[in-house]
Amino acid sequence: METFDPTELPELLKLYYRRLFPYSQYYRWLNYGGVIKNYFQHREFSFTLKDDIYIRYQSFNNQSDLEKEMQKMNPYKIDIGAVYSHRPNQHNTVKLGAFQAQEKELVFDIDMTDYDDVRRCCSSADICPKCWTLMTMAIRIIDRALKEDFGFKHRLWVYSGRRGVHCWVCDESVRKLSSAVRSGIVEYLSLIKGGQDVKKKVHLSEKIHPFIRKSINIIKKYFEEYALVNQDILKNKESWDKILALVPETIHDELQQGFQKSQNSLQRWEHLKKVASRCQNNIKNDKYGPWLEWEIMLQYCFPRLDINVSKGINHLLKSPFSVHPKTGRISVPIDLQKVDQFDPFTVPTISFICRELDAISTNEEEKENEAESDVKHRTRDYKKTSLAPYVKVFEHFLENLDKSRKGELLKKSDLQKDF
């Protein structure tokens, strides 16, 4: 996909918000079937404009209001906040303490920069296909737990547009959760403990929780190719010293000797597994637990969540279909059926889809009378670009939300009939 020129962004955003942004699907999502009065009207949006001008507490009456404002402001970034007790745009008129965040989706934010101590290919904002596997594993591990361990049905995964992924859990009961419960959930999903100074960040006890076992099973599918081939985590002395820091000193010498004789990371890993299992069998009083290799696998591959984003109900998170101002990539939904095939480098940039639209418009103008209304035009416009398959993923997610809402309403009406 072509390079993106940030100086073109203001003009591109005008076209994007006028003709390509999927407003009706977006409104359908955040309105949640209009079941709760004023739900959409009490939602906070925040816009970041050119030159980092930041406007919080925006709120809108309806889809048309939202469209007008977005087309007027052409935000560089859109964030979504909580549903409040009052309209956020009137928060200054509410008496102190009365304006409260009441509901929000449970959200997760996973950012590649949090893996810098275990990535060898890139650092800070850079990503490449070699390290993107970390995001694939993160989605698989967290999504499995949200679905199977917690029973959450409506999980929207979204690419951030640059170096990470977000998840929005949208079940009705989940949106009502308190901050304390959210903290509990994110705590359950967190294993990596300790900041930059802490070398060993994973400590397994003798009793391994099923969540950890299931996460290990997911990591095993990717570990050899990701860690031993692509990241080459035992390539040389410098990289294997990092791993020695995670295992008991009593086996350092034996590991070092074997590492020096081995040709590559794959052979060194096999040697480590042999030494670890022998050491575990020899020790009756098992201080380390028979989990040395698992601890290493988890430290190098387990998801690293930004806990604060998930805990706070009033925390803002970047909106799906927002544009990343540095890369120009659209923040698109990820198809959970095709997580392994998702490639951030093929996600369309705003310049690419605007060019696609221009090419099509030029052709059509020659064929078609221009009397056609702008609205009719726009409802079809994104479908003519590379954004279409991603909007389809979003629509599929919305259909499931609708179905489940109708099911709940039927259940309620049946219960009322029984009385």
Side-chain angles (χ1 to χ4, degrees), residues 115-128:
Y115 294 85
D116 278 1
D117 60 321
V118 292
R119 287 196 290 168
R120 293 189 67 237
C121 50
C122 304
S123 65
S124 68
D126 293 332
I127 61 164
C128 73

Side-chain angles (χ1 to χ4, degrees), residues 86-189:
H86 303 74
R87 290 176 188 242
N89 61 3
Q90 296 169 1
H91 74 284
N92 286 329
T93 64
V94 179
K95 70 169 184 286
L96 211 61
F99 181 66
Q100 295 288 337
Q102 291 184 323
E103 289 195 13
K104 198 185 81 190
E105 297 75 10
L106 172 64
V107 292
F108 298 95
D109 180 6
I110 308 170
D111 193 322
M112 198 74 90
T113 45
D114 294 325
Y115 294 85
D116 278 1
D117 60 321
V118 292
R119 287 196 290 168
R120 293 189 67 237
C121 50
C122 304
S123 65
S124 68
D126 293 332
I127 61 164
C128 73
K130 282 185 177 176
C131 54
W132 186 257
T133 308
L134 285 166
M135 291 296 129
T136 308
M137 290 188 276
I139 295 171
R140 289 232 174 271
I141 288 168
I142 300 297
D143 193 70
R144 186 216 60 77
L146 293 173
K147 180 182 175 184
E148 295 175 14
D149 304 358
F150 291 101
F152 300 155
K153 289 192 177 75
H154 305 288
R155 308 166 315 278
L156 178 68
W157 284 90
V158 182
Y159 169 50
S160 73
R162 192 179 196 180
R163 55 170 186 238
V165 293
H166 301 153
C167 177
W168 299 76
V169 186
C170 301
D171 304 39
E172 189 185 349
S173 56
V174 176
R175 303 197 305 267
K176 294 175 163 52
L177 295 176
S178 69
S179 199
V181 175
R182 290 167 199 254
S183 299
I185 294 170
V186 76
E187 197 56 46
Y188 174 94
L189 297 169

Side-chain angles (χ1 to χ4, degrees), residues 178-226:
S178 69
S179 199
V181 175
R182 290 167 199 254
S183 299
I185 294 170
V186 76
E187 197 56 46
Y188 174 94
L189 297 169
S190 301
L191 260 187
I192 310 277
K193 299 281 169 25
Q196 284 172 324
D197 320 331
V198 181
K199 281 186 178 160
K200 188 173 167 68
K201 293 182 167 75
V202 178
H203 296 271
L204 297 180
S205 60
E206 238 170 287
K207 287 198 171 72
I208 299 274
H209 192 283
F211 166 61
I212 296 175
R213 281 187 190 275
K214 287 173 179 173
S215 300
I216 292 273
N217 288 338
I218 292 171
I219 291 170
K220 278 178 180 168
K221 292 174 188 158
Y222 298 92
F223 189 76
E224 184 176 306
E225 190 184 342
Y226 164 70

